Amino acid sequence: MSRDSIKSPAATLASNLNSSTGQTGKPLTITTLVSVGQHPKSGRARVADQDAKALELALSLSAGKGTAAVGKGEAGAGKSQINLIHAGTATAEQQLVLRGYLGMGVGQMRVLKQSDGADVIPVLVDAVRKSGSDVVLTGSRAEAGEGSGMTPYLVAQSLGWPMVPAAVEITAVGSGEFEILQALPRGQRRLLKVRAPFVASIDAAAAEARQTAWAAGQRGALEHMTLSSNDDAVLAEAAVEPARKRPKRIARAKKAKTAADRFKAATAKSASKGGAVLVKESAEEKAEAIYQMLLSQGVLKAR
Amino acid sequence: MLESVIPWLLAGFIAVLVAGMLRRISLWRAGQPQQVNLVAGLMAMPRRYLVDLHHVVDRDKVMSNTHVATAGGFVASMLLIILVHGFGLDSVWLARALLLTTVVMFIGALFVFRRRLNPPSRLSKGPWMRLPKSLLTFAATFFVVSLPAAGVLPDGFGSGVLAFILLAGIVAGLGEMLFGMGWAGPMKHAFAGALHLAFHRRPERFGGGRSTGLKLLDLDTSNGKTLGVAKPTDFKWNQLLGFDACVQCGRCEAMCPAFAAGQPLNPKKLIQDMVVGLAGGTDAKYAGSPYPGKDVGNAKGSPIEVITEGLVSQETLWSCTTCRACVEECPMMIEHVDAIVDMRRFLTLEQGSTPGKGSETLQNLIATDNPNGNDPQSRSWWAADQNIPLMSEKKEADVLFWVSDGAFDMRSQRILRSFVKILKAANVDFAYLGDEERDSGDVARRLGDDATFQSLAKRNIATLKQYKFKRIVTTDPHAFHCLKNEYPDLGGNYEVLHHTRLINELVAGGKIKLDALTTAGTVTYHDPCYLGRYNGEYDAPRDVLKAMGIELAEMERSGFRSRCCGGGGAAPITDIPGERRIADMRMDDIRETGADLVAVGCQQCTAMLEGVVEPRPQVQDIAEMVAAQLVEIEQPASKREVA
Amino acid sequence: MSDVIRKDPRKNWILRNRLHPLHEQVVAEMNGPAAVVRGPSGLIRKNPHAVGFIGPNGIKRIDRLGGSGSAAASAKREQQEEQLPIIAIEQPQSYVVVVVDAANGELSAHDRDVLGQARLLADGRAENTAVVALVFGALKAALGEAANPDHAFGLAGADRVMLFDDECYAGFAPEQQLEAMLAVDRQLSPVNWLFPDTHLSGNDRALRLAARLGERPAMHAWQIKDGKVTSRGGSEMTDITRDLAAATAPRILALASECALPVDEARYEARLLPLPSVPNAMVRIKDAGAVAVDPNQIAMGEAEFILSAGNGIHDWDQFHATAAALGATEGASRVAVDNGFMPRFRQVGATGTWVTARVYIAVGISGAVQHLQGIGSCEKVIAINTDAGCDMVKRADLSVIGDSQEILAALKARAEQGAVAVSEPQQGKADGESNHNVA
Ligand SMILES: Cc1cc2nc3c(=O)[nH]c(=O)nc-3n(C[C@H](O)[C@H](O)[C@H](O)COP(=O)(O)OP(=O)(O)OC[C@H]3O[C@@H](n4cnc5c(N)ncnc54)[C@H](O)[C@@H]3O)c2cc1C
Ligand code: SF4
Ligand code: SF4
């Protein structure tokens, strides 16, 4: 398949940008979209964990960690610019939280003020479009509100850029090309290659965000812009309530179709885990019991 | 000949001394302004020296007498020398007095000399090894030089070779005593120390008072000032002065639990590094014990360089448990903990570099009002079956029970329940805040985050304002200290009691009766730093134990010399590695008494000591012990049913 | 311990007994998972020499059903079980499409739950509605052209199957997969698109499709009831319920596991549908393959299987060897770290890492609160300790009381044996009755 011949306008734009980012040493522009999170226990507004990790990735990318394009000697040449953008109601309480991102070492944040219940995607897309970004980083899932995880996809879709989910590490390898390490379950990783511009969402497994310095956050600037809001009609129609406890699945007794089934149902262990204690068995038997549990949990990788 | 040279020498040395002093003063004045009462301070200085400082020095009787002889001898000699040799006052009696003072000084100096023959490791060497010889030289020389004036020897006695020897002695003696005083020799301590006593940042400490609460940080970020201390000049000027008063006696070092555990902290070295910072230079001349695991000679700094970038490593600052053992022991009344927390404030608030679990803990405190990120609505779960009246319902009670974050911890809950049992048995009119309570801010503050401390404290104060109560009682010495000593700066003034004090009152007032505890074996008591050194509460816990018929097997380090359990100052959160665990060393102290049980009065100490690998003595809070010995008052003790 | 029998007879017994919970695993072992490997391109490569095992009479046997056995209407099964009815949807008028994960070519439990939900949605409609299972990548058990009611897909409730097993869909190929979904959307105009809400597969596909189509999906949905779909909001703190009959009703749904019960009362046709023509996507995200991660390099917080050492370990070489034999990530108590036997970053607990392993084995760890705090969210805890009264035993789901050295030795031997059993062909020697394995 020769896909190279097909070039969308976005791709052309991409290659233009690429030639200007990597080789000529034009500094990168990295935009991080951040939201106001929510503490899972108290429900109180906080710096969103994944968004902070996204900003952390942006900061380390801008510091040129492993950037081949930026020679070590060219001081400052590779210093990328970080755009921090938030769209939302930005109440006083939320602004305190937003300053938490500034406290990670970014001088200012663009705050796109929206009315309550607005769909923030259009203003975000507009802001990113105007920012001349090469890389847009977001969290994977918002902590507050619907938390559908759509934001990065919609931004990427509107811009016509590729969208890379679950990034844990991003390295610029030069010529506008980036290597992205993607988190797979159980600590496994996959390597992806993508050219700027692109959008990436950051996985919870990414490096912990640096601590926010309170004073730096206070001194940083929140540049407010009040923009007209588009109401989020869909969410307005939906019923939003505190989460209910999910009912435990009751193992519906399979209709006993055979004698064997009936026997199985009769002898099935109850779900309660007793916490078996083996004392008198031989070491081999004890090991066997452990081994069986490992097998049943599926943690033993067959070789 | 000598007679004619001495006045000029004196004048010259005094001029150099004054120049040195002025330069030193200008170094201090580079610090931040701080209001002090100059006149009153200077007036109070002699008394502070003679009484308060002496009180500390007096813990080592020989050294104390040595110092009185040497210092008193020197000050008196110097005055008389100026009169006799400087102004040439021709008075035999003055000269004889001078002979006497030099003899006293000489004797003192001999003791100094003796101590320096085989100095303990805590003492700094280097120039300090020279000092006794200089003192002897000074005293001996001026004794001889003054003999003619006293009429003991004929005038013109000092001539020829002897004159040269005496002259050399005078130069050497004056050089050490005067030049050295102004220009950072060991004698600097006398000059800086005197002024430090006069302009101490915590004058309340003199006259038997106590001042242990940290100072409030101005959180205004709009004036371009850094929060906390980044560079030496960010300290208050009188803090800089205080550092200069250090005599490198190393008493702080000998007491410091972090130093003993091999963590990279030595309070003496820290103070000396502050001196290096305020004057500029390197620590190459430092001749004492290093920070464990770090070589001397690599630190350098200046008044306007960031301290943690080359002078002191961050781990050093985070190793401190804020136990105040160093402060308690320092004969110069230097405030190590203030300095350490000031620098931590910079690291946390300006740099965001709190180590270990610090950042996480602070985020939790901000988002949930407790350090472990528990649901704030579950704070009162421990009391679900306790039937404790809520302040929000009762509005008024004699005693407000401050529960603290032990509410979330299963082990601490045993202490809380025990204490509730006691309160109920004594029919105390009490209530608690339930979910309305928040962390006191202790941990945030020791982590350097005064913003979070102030936010928590202000909200707690606002909550407390809604209710009427006479006293607050708490089982947590850290909360106790915060509420009692640190909330007043934010407008919260309360009478706060530690639970052992209230229990003691109840016992004394006959409100509860305790059975003798005979089955515990040997019992010792561990003084929590925040109860003892911070608040002087040494007696109440001991009295309660005595009321249970317990004869304490005291540890060598108990009372004001108690060794920290390692749990203070957020040290378990930052968890700077050392060679040993502080708690293990404390447990060894406990084992030395042969104790089967160690009584404590703090949930944090309980956690730290129980974190020591078994087998080890049992650890129990006094509340737990008391609750188990409660006897119904109406019935005679013998009728108590034992199930 | 009656269920601990010497390994050979036990294995054979499990092989014979298809109802045994370990049956599938043992069969897989027998066939040798090493037989199927993914090449660097993500392409499946079969090693013909590793496939199969030697049967009782010395003849090599190959299980072409991938050991799942579920597709085979074996004689034995027919004897034992009544046949489930086959339900066929002829000429469907509308479709519910389920994009299953089918990682490694097999339906997961989560896939089956979503198919179960799809069934409910399809069967609840007035018109003839078919459930279409859409699969990217090859299947382990092949589907013929005809109806396949006994194939795993048929048993799970799929009327039709669309199999995109071209090489360009393999690995992480979200762009090409999206083109395929768009083509299916054009062809079938499904009434609903269902996805298992899984990291990087179902979740990513649902979001991509929704973003491209400009639709609002219902993500993290955990319940569909009375014509309404309920999704979990951010931080799992809210439930957002939307009416499936409303004009703004979500068509694209990403469903949590256990959203519905899997199908178990009927069989469906699982008939392959011809594929629409799919345009080539412009591939801008290039998959450079999995990065090998040594279990000991996995961040503690992410590791799913941890063997953790405490003060009760006396032979450290043995401990490391056991961890290696089990393929476990190593952990430690603070005492083991303090004593210098383990590096600091391995410490589990209040001042170390809070781990989330599925299985945590605590060897010689007493279970101090500070340690237990760190394993609060581990699913299964196994304690190996000499002291039956210690707190770790109270916390553990399985405890073996005894000397760590002895038990680790046995466990290591057992683990190595497990590996041996896979590669040693004579394991199947006494396997006279495992007729379902006949090719
Ligand atoms: C503030 C604070 C923070 C702490 N943070 C942590 C932390 O993050 N993580 C942590 O782990 N600890 C932490 N601790 C320490 C904790 O309290 C315990 O001291 C520690 O967890 C005990 O480690 P252990 O179980 O390995 O050792 P031990 O308590 O000595 O337990 C050893 C166990 O091994 C068993 N055993 C002995 N010999 C054998 C043998 N031959 N075979 C099998 N079993 C044997 C014993 O029965 C015992 O149960 C903390 C403590 C404090 C105070
Ligand atoms: S407060 Fe305690 S730990 Fe800190 S320096 Fe002083 S003695 Fe050491
Ligand atoms: S700080 Fe105080 S106790 Fe420590 S060496 Fe200096 S004078 Fe002595």
Side-chain angles (χ1 to χ4, degrees):
Chain A
M1 278 177 276
S2 69
R3 292 195 187 84
D4 293 0
S5 52
I6 323 165
K7 266 202 172 155
S8 74
T12 326
L13 174 70
S15 54
N16 289 347
L17 264 172
N18 293 341
S19 52
S20 63
T21 44
Q23 283 146 349
T24 63
K26 174 190 163 279
L28 278 176
T29 302
I30 309 163
T31 294
T32 311
L33 307 180
V34 294
S35 61
V36 172
Q38 186 179 22
H39 192 279
K41 292 279 175 57
S42 68
R44 221 179 276 169
R46 67 159 183 182
V47 166
D49 194 49
Q50 290 174 2
D51 296 3
K53 284 176 172 160
L55 180 54
E56 176 64 45
L57 245 171
L59 286 164
S60 56
L61 185 58
S62 99
K65 207 181 93 190
T67 308
V70 185
K72 265 199 176 151
E74 316 162 39
K79 188 76 183 157
S80 327
Q81 191 199 328
I82 294 185
N83 267 328
L84 204 50
I85 302 178
H86 168 76
T89 46
T91 59
E93 186 204 7
Q94 290 178 337
Q95 289 184 29
L96 283 182
V97 171
L98 294 176
R99 291 193 175 280
Y101 295 106
L102 294 175
M104 288 172 66
V106 188
Q108 70 276 336
M109 175 190 293
R110 197 124 29 102
V111 178
L112 314 173
K113 261 200 170 243
Q114 295 278 284
S115 62
D116 199 13
D119 176 8
V120 297
I121 301 295
V123 290
L124 281 178
V125 168
D126 195 48
V128 172
R129 192 173 277 138
K130 286 179 185 150
S131 67
S133 303
D134 304 300
V135 178
V136 175
L137 303 179
T138 73
S140 293
R141 190 182 172 190
E143 291 177 357
E146 190 179 350
S148 66
M150 273 294 269
T151 305
Y153 288 87
L154 286 172
V155 171
Q157 176 66 40
S158 311
L159 296 168
W161 294 359
M163 157 63 201
V164 184
V168 287
E169 237 178 271
I170 302 182
T171 335
V173 290
S175 312
E177 190 150 354
F178 289 80
E179 287 190 347
I180 301 183
L181 222 43
Q182 188 181 46
L184 303 181
R186 305 174 177 186
Q188 301 298 309
R189 300 286 183 260
R190 173 155 57 201
L191 184 66
L192 303 174
K193 294 188 175 170
V194 64
R195 297 177 73 82
F198 64 89
V199 179
S201 70
I202 307 309
D203 193 81
E208 283 300 326
R210 67 195 60 190
Q211 187 180 356
T212 164
W214 185 86
Q218 293 300 303
R219 287 195 201 98
L222 296 176
E223 293 163 8
H224 294 279
M225 298 167 81
T226 307
L227 300 172
S228 63
S229 313
N230 310 40
D231 273 353
D232 183 344
V234 177
L235 203 59
E237 255 175 49
V240 182
E241 311 151 308
R244 272 174 291 153
K245 214 177 162 72
R246 275 189 72 177
K248 268 246 163 66
R249 170 180 279 185
I250 308 153
R252 183 172 61 168
K254 224 179 178 182
K255 263 197 212 135
K257 297 183 189 84
T258 65
D261 277 345
R262 273 190 295 274
F263 177 71
K264 221 178 120 190
T267 56
K269 267 204 299 189
S270 68
S272 79
K273 34 182 184 171
V277 182
L278 306 187
V279 185
K280 289 203 223 63
E281 288 77 0
S282 73
E284 283 67 33
E285 284 168 326
K286 287 169 181 162
E288 181 66 27
I290 296 175
Y291 196 77
Q292 289 307 325
M293 182 174 254
L294 300 181
L295 276 180
S296 68
Q297 290 299 312
V299 291
L300 286 178
K301 289 179 196 79
R303 267 150 300 196
Chain B
M1 180 202 97
L2 260 185
E3 281 307 301
S4 56
V5 177
I6 290 176
W8 294 109
L9 270 179
L10 268 178
F13 271 108
I14 288 173
V16 172
L17 166 70
V18 170
M21 284 176 159
L22 289 175
R23 192 189 90 95
R24 213 70 206 172
I25 289 169
S26 76
L27 290 178
W28 302 331
R29 284 175 46 110
Q32 302 301 306
Q34 164 93 1
Q35 280 283 316
V36 293
N37 192 332
L38 289 177
V39 179
L42 285 172
M43 302 270 286
M45 189 249 284
R47 197 189 138 76
R48 288 177 181 178
Y49 169 74
L50 292 169
V51 179
D52 298 291
L53 186 144
H54 195 74
H55 178 74
V56 179
V57 182
D58 211 26
R59 290 170 190 164
D60 181 347
K61 283 273 191 289
V62 178
M63 198 48 223
S64 146
N65 295 335
T66 303
H67 192 259
V68 168
T70 322
F74 166 68
V75 171
S77 304
M78 201 59 224
L79 288 173
L80 292 169
I81 287 167
I82 290 171
L83 295 179
V84 175
H85 297 290
F87 296 115
L89 282 188
D90 201 4
S91 153
V92 173
W93 292 109
L94 274 182
R96 288 192 178 160
L98 177 55
L99 286 185
L100 185 68
T101 57
T102 49
V103 167
V104 171
M105 181 178 170
F106 190 85
I107 295 168
L110 278 178
F111 276 90
V112 180
F113 185 81
R114 195 188 66 166
R115 191 165 75 137
R116 286 280 161 185
L117 283 180
N118 196 4
S121 67
R122 65 181 167 88
L123 287 177
S124 287
K125 317 292 180 312
W128 291 89
M129 296 305 280
R130 182 186 76 210
L131 185 61
K133 292 165 208 152
S134 307
L135 292 170
L136 290 173
T137 309
F138 180 92
T141 311
F142 277 100
F143 179 81
V144 177
V145 168
S146 306
L147 287 175
V152 179
L153 284 177
D155 280 357
F157 151 78
S159 60
V161 180
L162 186 62
F164 274 104
I165 293 173
L166 287 176
L167 194 62
I170 291 171
V171 171
L174 287 178
E176 182 73 84
M177 303 311 288
L178 299 186
F179 178 79
M181 189 180 295
W183 295 91
M187 283 309 294
K188 177 192 71 183
H189 82 271
F191 153 59
L195 294 182
H196 169 58
L197 289 183
F199 308 132
H200 200 280
R201 193 158 172 241
R202 294 178 179 275
E204 309 85 359
R205 283 186 66 195
F206 301 106
R210 203 172 283 281
S211 167
T212 54
L214 292 174
K215 303 280 184 195
L216 206 61
L217 180 67
D218 179 2
L219 292 173
D220 186 0
T221 49
S222 60
N223 55 12
K225 275 200 185 139
T226 16
L227 299 189
V229 167
K231 322 180 282 299
T233 51
D234 293 334
F235 282 113
K236 304 284 184 213
W237 72 269
N238 52 356
Q239 284 179 287
L240 295 177
L241 163 60
F243 301 146
D244 252 348
C246 172
V247 293
Q248 303 195 40
C249 65
R251 290 174 184 232
C252 51
E253 170 187 318
M255 284 296 140
C256 177
F259 178 80
Q263 289 173 278
L265 168 63
N266 174 349
K268 177 175 85 173
K269 170 82 163 75
L270 183 80
I271 298 302
Q272 283 313 303
D273 282 348
M274 296 299 103
V275 173
V276 168
L278 78 92
T282 76
D283 68 342
K285 287 204 216 81
Y286 173 74
S289 318
Y291 298 127
K294 292 199 193 292
D295 290 336
V296 171
N298 306 321
K300 60 181 201 314
S302 83
I304 51 165
E305 276 174 72
V306 175
I307 293 169
T308 44
E309 289 168 8
L311 188 57
V312 175
S313 75
Q314 300 196 8
E315 308 94 80
T316 294
L317 301 176
W318 294 112
S319 296
C320 174
T321 69
T322 69
C323 71
R324 275 186 87 83
C326 51
V327 183
E328 183 76 37
E329 209 64 26
C330 177
M332 304 308 286
M333 308 193 106
I334 293 167
E335 296 283 346
H336 311 65
V337 176
D338 283 351
I340 289 170
V341 174
D342 281 341
M343 291 185 274
R344 286 184 180 184
R345 286 172 172 173
F346 168 73
L347 293 178
T348 293
L349 293 174
E350 292 283 357
Q351 298 223 304
S353 59
T354 322
K357 299 261 165 188
S359 166
E360 202 179 311
T361 303
L362 292 174
Q363 280 175 27
N364 284 336
L365 282 167
I366 292 167
T368 64
D369 300 334
N370 66 76
N372 288 319
N374 294 102
D375 181 354
Q377 298 303 312
S378 66
R379 187 177 272 278
S380 54
W381 285 3
W382 70 275
D385 56 349
Q386 297 287 307
N387 258 324
I388 312 176
L390 269 173
M391 262 302 179
S392 56
E393 287 162 10
K394 204 164 140 58
K395 307 285 184 210
E396 196 174 339
D398 279 351
V399 169
L400 186 144
F401 176 26
W402 187 273
V403 175
S404 91
D405 297 324
F408 297 106
D409 170 57
M410 300 247 281
R411 174 65 183 91
S412 308
Q413 288 167 7
R414 300 216 307 257
I415 303 174
L416 297 173
R417 291 205 188 89
S418 301
F419 185 54
V420 168
K421 185 175 165 195
I422 298 166
L423 290 173
K424 285 183 174 164
N427 283 320
V428 176
D429 171 31
F430 75 108
Y432 80 139
L433 290 174
D435 292 342
E436 281 189 299
E437 197 183 297
R438 293 169 194 83
D439 178 273
S440 62
D442 164 73
V443 164
R445 191 162 226 205
R446 304 322 122 178
L447 282 172
D449 188 349
D450 229 45
T452 300
F453 163 74
Q454 291 184 23
S455 150
L456 286 165
K458 281 179 188 157
R459 284 178 290 146
N460 275 327
I461 290 170
T463 304
L464 289 169
K465 202 171 253 162
Q466 298 173 275
Y467 307 119
K468 269 177 116 170
F469 50 87
K470 297 202 186 90
R471 310 193 284 184
I472 298 177
V473 63
T474 177
T475 51
D476 174 5
H478 297 264
F480 173 47
H481 166 69
C482 258
L483 290 165
K484 182 173 166 218
N485 303 322
E486 298 189 341
Y487 278 27
D489 282 347
L490 292 162
N493 289 289
Y494 316 105
E495 185 185 343
V496 193
L497 269 73
H498 188 241
H499 67 304
T500 54
R501 164 134 304 209
L502 185 73
I503 294 173
N504 198 27
E505 253 179 42
L506 297 175
V507 173
K511 296 275 171 39
I512 53 173
K513 218 170 143 204
L514 302 180
D515 220 358
L517 177 61
T518 50
T519 52
T522 309
V523 181
T524 189
Y525 170 68
H526 163 79
D527 288 274
C529 310
Y530 275 75
L531 186 60
R533 276 188 294 273
Y534 273 81
N535 287 293
E537 186 63 278
Y538 301 113
D539 296 338
R542 288 182 168 77
D543 291 347
V544 173
L545 291 168
K546 198 184 275 167
M548 288 186 280
I550 293 169
E551 190 80 43
L552 278 184
E554 290 280 7
M555 285 179 266
E556 191 180 311
R557 286 189 62 174
S558 66
F560 72 86
R561 276 204 170 132
S562 169
R563 197 209 296 259
C564 180
C565 68
I573 293 166
T574 54
D575 200 25
I576 304 298
E579 287 154 28
R580 285 165 289 279
R581 291 270 165 199
I582 294 176
D584 289 351
M585 298 188 305
R586 189 55 175 161
M587 193 50 84
D588 288 341
D589 293 348
I590 293 165
R591 287 192 184 108
E592 251 171 48
T593 65
D596 304 296
L597 171 72
V598 53
V600 293
C602 172
Q603 66 210 22
Q604 182 73 2
C605 298
T606 311
M608 296 305 292
L609 294 175
E610 284 190 344
V612 174
V613 168
E614 288 185 281
R616 51 157 169 73
Q618 289 291 303
V619 184
Q620 277 200 336
D621 191 278
I622 290 180
E624 296 176 272
M625 298 172 66
V626 169
Q629 301 310 120
L630 280 178
V631 184
E632 296 242 358
I633 283 194
E634 280 76 21
Q635 292 145 17
S638 56
K639 276 180 83 180
R640 207 171 65 113
E641 296 268 311
V642 183
Chain C
M1 278 281 299
S2 59
D3 65 9
V4 182
I5 310 173
R6 279 189 47 236
K7 66 179 195 273
D8 293 2
R10 172 182 161 78
K11 225 178 210 135
N12 291 327
W13 173 66
I14 294 175
L15 268 176
R16 268 181 272 124
N17 183 353
R18 282 180 303 105
L19 293 176
H20 194 282
L22 298 180
H23 174 76
E24 291 199 6
Q25 244 148 349
V26 174
V27 172
E29 271 175 30
M30 286 307 189
N31 257 351
V36 182
V37 287
R38 241 163 231 283
S41 62
L43 207 60
I44 290 186
R45 293 193 173 148
K46 287 205 166 133
N47 169 6
H49 306 294
V51 172
F53 59 96
I54 309 293
N57 41 16
I59 299 172
K60 182 167 180 166
R61 294 178 161 181
I62 300 176
D63 176 9
R64 298 216 185 275
L65 303 177
S68 75
S70 48
S74 69
K76 194 161 181 186
R77 185 199 209 112
E78 275 159 32
Q79 283 164 13
Q80 281 192 349
E81 284 185 20
E82 299 159 29
Q83 283 285 349
L84 293 173
I86 299 176
I87 299 177
I89 308 274
E90 303 294 347
Q91 293 176 347
Q93 288 148 306
S94 63
Y95 297 90
V96 171
V97 178
V98 179
V99 183
V100 294
D101 281 357
N104 307 320
E106 282 180 305
L107 287 178
S108 66
H110 195 165
D111 285 336
R112 288 199 190 95
D113 294 345
V114 177
L115 281 164
Q117 182 61 61
R119 256 321 356 136
L120 295 175
L121 285 175
D123 298 345
R125 296 188 69 85
E127 75 277 16
N128 251 1
T129 306
V131 171
V132 181
L134 194 163
V135 195
F136 292 109
L139 287 185
K140 236 182 183 171
L143 274 168
E145 289 303 315
N148 292 281
D150 286 317
H151 188 275
F153 277 67
L155 294 171
D159 299 306
R160 305 286 183 270
V161 178
M162 292 180 116
L163 183 60
F164 290 92
D165 56 357
D166 207 47
E167 193 202 332
C168 63
Y169 299 108
F172 187 66
E175 291 151 315
Q176 188 58 41
Q177 292 183 358
L178 175 61
E179 288 300 335
M181 291 191 287
L182 291 169
V184 170
D185 196 59
R186 286 190 294 271
Q187 189 185 33
L188 301 181
S189 309
V191 288
N192 277 118
W193 279 93
L194 305 189
F195 298 81
D197 192 0
T198 43
H199 183 76
L200 275 187
S201 29
N203 183 280
D204 180 54
R205 289 177 187 135
L207 289 167
R208 260 175 223 281
L209 183 64
R212 173 65 75 88
L213 294 175
E215 293 185 25
R216 181 77 161 250
M219 303 300 292
H220 319 295
W222 61 274
Q223 189 179 53
I224 298 180
K225 207 173 147 189
D226 308 331
K228 292 188 169 132
V229 56
T230 304
S231 312
R232 274 280 197 264
S235 309
E236 316 283 310
M237 289 184 86
T238 49
D239 275 339
I240 300 161
T241 305
R242 282 188 260 171
D243 198 336
L244 284 173
T248 56
R251 193 170 67 111
I252 300 170
L253 310 169
L255 297 162
S257 66
E258 305 201 351
C259 54
L261 288 164
V263 166
D264 68 349
E265 310 224 301
R267 292 175 291 162
Y268 295 82
E269 287 181 298
R271 200 190 286 275
L272 274 178
L273 273 185
L275 301 184
S277 78
V278 179
N280 284 342
M282 186 179 63
V283 174
R284 292 176 295 179
I285 305 171
K286 298 199 177 68
D287 184 352
V291 179
V293 184
D294 170 354
N296 246 338
Q297 297 299 306
I298 296 175
M300 294 280 299
E302 270 185 274
E304 72 148 5
F305 174 25
I306 297 177
L307 185 73
S308 201
N311 204 13
I313 292 278
H314 305 298
D315 181 346
W316 287 92
D317 291 337
Q318 181 202 41
F319 171 77
H320 298 307
T322 311
L326 291 169
T329 303
E330 291 183 4
S333 79
R334 196 182 73 173
V335 173
V337 172
D338 281 357
N339 292 347
F341 295 116
M342 293 288 281
R344 225 163 117 86
F345 70 92
R346 292 259 163 246
Q347 182 177 321
V348 173
T351 39
T353 310
W354 296 46
V355 298
T356 56
R358 187 176 320 163
V359 178
Y360 184 85
I361 309 186
V363 194
I365 300 180
S366 60
V369 269
Q370 294 91 353
H371 191 87
L372 293 184
Q373 262 175 34
I375 59 171
S377 45
C378 289
E379 211 153 293
K380 289 273 186 272
V381 173
I382 303 176
I384 301 179
N385 205 303
T386 40
D387 175 8
C390 73
D391 288 325
M392 185 59 80
V393 169
K394 286 181 195 136
R395 161 72 173 86
D397 301 275
L398 170 67
S399 305
V400 303
I401 307 306
D403 178 57
S404 60
Q405 199 162 355
E406 212 177 300
I407 290 163
L408 284 185
L411 187 58
K412 176 164 166 283
R414 180 64 186 85
E416 279 157 1
Q417 220 174 61
V420 168
V422 171
S423 56
E424 264 182 23
Q426 60 266 35
Q427 282 298 312
K429 224 182 354 204
D431 189 27
E433 288 155 58
S434 76
N435 46 9
H436 72 279
N437 266 333
V438 177

